[in-house]
Amino acid sequence: MITYEAASTNKVTERMINPYAFVVYDENIYCVAYCEHKLDMQTFKIIRIHQVEAMENTYDIPEDFDIREQFPQLGFIREPLEVELVIETPFSNQVKESIYSENQVIEELPNNAIRFKATLNGSHSIKRWILGMGPKATVFGPDDLRKEIESEVEQMLQQYKS
């Protein structure tokens, strides 16, 4: 049983849910669960859950449940993108202490910089993450991502020049 605050209305409701998975997206954690109130799968942002009460009820997650097939429309799972970045301090330290992907590889470079390679999902959140590191991150792959970042930076520069 949870009490949950809706993002659109700020209304707090009580919901009985059966959690199926937890997903990290855009630096937030979400619970994907079957909601007894809606009689459907729903996504709950953890930060909006005010209270949790463990119930004695049990449930089974269907064997064919695959979040990659069931929830692409939520933005959590998108076409995977193989990225390669060089990241300098102070961000290199934060990245070394975090897990962004099961297959991430971090190579130490001079001056505490790192080469970061990983398969990530959600191009919008990837771009926002990279742009948030400013000049301390350089995209080496894929080329399309590098061009999109270059375009964003050029647009930002034009805004400040005019």
Side-chain angles (χ1 to χ4, degrees), residues 68-81:
R68 291 170 293 201
E69 290 178 13
Q70 305 228 358
F71 297 100
Q73 70 273 14
L74 298 176
F76 297 141
I77 308 298
R78 302 220 176 137
E79 289 298 314
L81 196 58

Side-chain angles (χ1 to χ4, degrees), residues 86-119:
V86 169
I87 304 170
E88 299 173 29
T89 57
F91 300 104
S92 59
N93 293 326
Q94 295 169 359
V95 171
K96 285 190 286 190
E97 296 169 352
S98 302
I99 299 172
Y100 293 90
S101 173
E102 292 177 357
N103 73 340
Q104 74 184 36
V105 175
I106 296 174
E107 175 190 344
E108 299 279 344
L109 299 174
N111 300 319
N112 205 32
I114 61 170
R115 181 176 310 279
F116 174 84
K117 295 180 183 180
T119 303

Side-chain angles (χ1 to χ4, degrees):
M1 182 69 70
I2 63 171
T3 55
Y4 186 74
E5 183 177 346
S8 57
T9 63
N10 291 341
K11 182 178 178 184
V12 177
T13 59
E14 202 169 78
R15 308 277 187 100
M16 176 74 75
I17 65 169
N18 301 325
Y20 278 33
F22 291 87
V23 179
V24 176
Y25 181 74
D26 275 352
E27 302 173 0
N28 293 291
I29 302 172
Y30 295 85
C31 175
V32 177
Y34 181 82
C35 177
E36 299 286 343
H37 176 74
K38 297 274 187 175
L39 300 177
D40 197 11
M41 295 300 294
Q42 300 287 303
T43 304
F44 300 94
K45 192 173 187 178
I46 296 295
I47 195 85
R48 292 193 192 114
I49 296 175
H50 294 276
Q51 290 182 303
V52 176
E53 180 183 346
M55 308 303 285
E56 293 187 27
N57 311 29
T58 62
Y59 62 95
D60 293 317
I61 297 174
E63 286 185 30
D64 63 346
F65 174 77
D66 184 346
I67 195 164
R68 291 170 293 201
E69 290 178 13
Q70 305 228 358
F71 297 100
Q73 70 273 14
L74 298 176
F76 297 141
I77 308 298
R78 302 220 176 137
E79 289 298 314
L81 196 58
E82 305 259 341
V83 301
E84 180 179 346
L85 313 171
V86 169
I87 304 170
E88 299 173 29
T89 57
F91 300 104
S92 59
N93 293 326
Q94 295 169 359
V95 171
K96 285 190 286 190
E97 296 169 352
S98 302
I99 299 172
Y100 293 90
S101 173
E102 292 177 357
N103 73 340
Q104 74 184 36
V105 175
I106 296 174
E107 175 190 344
E108 299 279 344
L109 299 174
N111 300 319
N112 205 32
I114 61 170
R115 181 176 310 279
F116 174 84
K117 295 180 183 180
T119 303
L120 304 176
N121 289 295
S123 64
H124 178 72
S125 62
I126 294 168
K127 286 189 289 187
R128 191 171 72 203
W129 176 58
I130 293 167
L131 289 166
M133 291 186 274
K136 300 296 184 178
T138 305
V139 178
F140 284 90
D143 286 335
D144 288 347
L145 177 61
R146 182 178 175 94
K147 289 175 185 169
E148 288 177 34
I149 295 291
E150 286 176 9
S151 175
E152 292 274 340
V153 171
E154 285 292 329
Q155 290 175 35
M156 289 172 62
L157 185 58
Q158 290 307 313
Q159 281 182 286
Y160 285 96
K161 285 184 173 180
S162 53

